[in-house]
Amino acid sequence: MRELDFAYVGLGVHEEVVYSVAAELGYYADEGVNVAIRDGVRWDDERLRQAAVVGLGRTLLIRLLAGTPWTMLCVNTERPLFWFMARREFGDVSELRGRRVAMHPRLVAPGTFARIVLRGRGLDPDADIEAVEMFPGDYGEHVRMLKSGELDAAVIGSTRSPQQLEAEEGLRLLLFFGDELQIPTTGVAVDPTVLALDDPRVEGLVRANLRALAAMLDDPALGAQHVGRLLAGADEATARAFYDRYVGSRFKADGQADAEVVSSALPLVAEELRIITGRVVEAPPADEIYRSDLTAAWTP
């Protein structure tokens, strides 16, 4: 069988933990799929279309902005694993008014989500803060600039535990995105004009993804082991605490998008994109974006 590229578009537990489990336990091989995990962070949209993709946020934005028919076939979680971290003197998001806040670029999914979260807390991201657009990497530069005082707060992803950052770097956790905004963010997405939904490689990839979700949710020690490999500097206790707080309780065994979550989130994203781009952005019906065919057909 021909190789299938499976691309991640960000680093950290959020994107990497499920395929880490699937690869180590041999689930791709069991399905007869030669899956090649690729770094698609810097790929342009056309190159991305040739692969299956972990990042449901990025593919959703491409669909809404460019009309590319990205289709989400499996959902790992609807709780974005990003955090607003701040210098210790700040105790609430409301205190960031007029402050320098590092965020992903506006048209990168976590950047769009961060803007929605700020609006939900009563802050206009274009007027009430000084937004500093930074690409994430491992967030090491964000942490350095927070500690030096060059930044007051920053959006940090799941390459570090927020509890680690509090204990080891003297920072303060202001909020967890997943408590403020629910939207499918990682899983399996394809452009069906390039990779057909009934392509055996696509079907096998989804089944392997579901097996990996079930395996790590049924076995917290396994999940924590993989989390520990992805969190920089995490010891066993830190990895297990992160797993319990953000993975075991917030990832989904069935791989299906929650209809109520989607119906609430899509209008928020479309409206934020309208504000950013200055043009009307229409969201297609949710059942055209999030398909449950393959997940519903899977049985353990």
Side-chain angles (χ1 to χ4, degrees):
M1 181 176 288
R2 290 186 297 116
E3 185 174 78
L4 175 64
D5 286 350
F6 191 30
Y8 58 89
V9 291
L11 299 176
V13 174
H14 192 206
E15 293 238 349
E16 300 179 79
V17 68
V18 177
Y19 71 67
S20 175
V21 172
E24 179 170 284
L25 297 185
Y27 292 160
Y28 300 134
D30 289 349
E31 293 291 343
V33 183
N34 184 14
V35 172
I37 306 298
R38 304 292 190 191
D39 179 353
V41 172
R42 301 289 181 178
W43 287 0
D44 62 28
D45 294 350
E46 284 305 305
R47 174 66 183 91
L48 205 63
R49 294 175 66 205
Q50 310 305 310
V53 176
V54 176
L56 304 189
R58 177 171 172 182
T59 49
L60 175 64
L61 263 58
I62 296 171
R63 176 155 192 163
L64 296 184
L65 292 170
T68 309
W70 280 101
T71 302
M72 321 315 175
L73 302 178
C74 187
V75 175
N76 294 342
T77 182
E78 291 155 338
R79 304 278 183 155
L81 266 63
F82 297 91
W83 297 265
F84 271 113
M85 302 297 302
R87 299 204 323 268
R88 178 60 67 177
E89 57 262 40
F90 298 99
D92 188 81
V93 174
S94 62
E95 298 172 19
L96 298 181
R97 192 176 301 272
R99 300 295 184 168
R100 288 174 56 81
V101 181
M103 304 197 304
H104 300 64
R106 295 179 299 168
L107 292 178
V108 173
T112 302
F113 297 163
R115 291 168 61 90
I116 293 170
V117 168
L118 287 172
R119 290 189 197 283
R121 288 298 190 99
L123 292 176
D124 182 339
D126 295 316
D128 293 335
I129 64 167
E130 183 181 345
V132 180
E133 292 195 346
M134 294 178 64
F135 282 97
D138 65 359
Y139 300 95
E141 184 67 3
H142 299 60
V143 173
R144 184 195 69 77
M145 292 177 70
L146 283 168
K147 293 176 68 177
S148 71
E150 296 168 80
L151 293 172
D152 297 304
V155 173
I156 304 290
S158 56
T159 61
R160 296 282 295 275
S161 159
Q163 285 68 40
Q164 277 180 285
L165 294 173
E166 288 190 315
E168 299 170 12
E169 308 292 356
L171 302 178
R172 186 186 298 276
L173 171 62
L174 297 185
L175 63 78
F176 168 48
F177 276 34
D179 287 339
E180 309 283 322
L181 172 68
Q182 283 80 63
I183 183 171
T185 50
T186 59
V188 178
V190 300
D191 175 353
T193 65
V194 179
L195 285 171
L197 302 186
D198 61 357
D199 185 318
R201 297 172 300 165
V202 172
E203 294 177 337
L205 178 63
V206 170
R207 286 193 296 268
N209 195 84
L210 287 165
R211 286 185 70 191
L213 279 166
M216 72 173 195
L217 294 176
D218 288 343
D219 185 351
L222 171 69
Q225 179 184 45
H226 284 264
V227 165
R229 297 174 186 175
L230 299 168
L231 287 179
D235 59 21
E236 187 174 328
T238 298
R240 179 57 188 261
F242 186 100
Y243 170 87
D244 289 341
R245 186 172 300 180
Y246 299 114
V247 178
S249 60
R250 290 177 166 91
F251 277 54
K252 302 165 67 74
D254 64 5
Q256 297 190 25
D258 183 286
E260 291 186 8
V261 165
V262 170
S263 65
S264 297
L266 283 181
L268 291 174
V269 174
E271 174 60 14
E272 194 61 43
L273 294 178
R274 182 198 65 77
I275 293 170
I276 294 169
T277 65
R279 62 182 177 86
V280 174
V281 175
E282 299 285 353
D287 60 3
E288 292 182 10
I289 303 175
Y290 302 98
R291 296 282 296 271
S292 62
D293 314 47
L294 297 183
T295 52
W298 182 77
T299 53

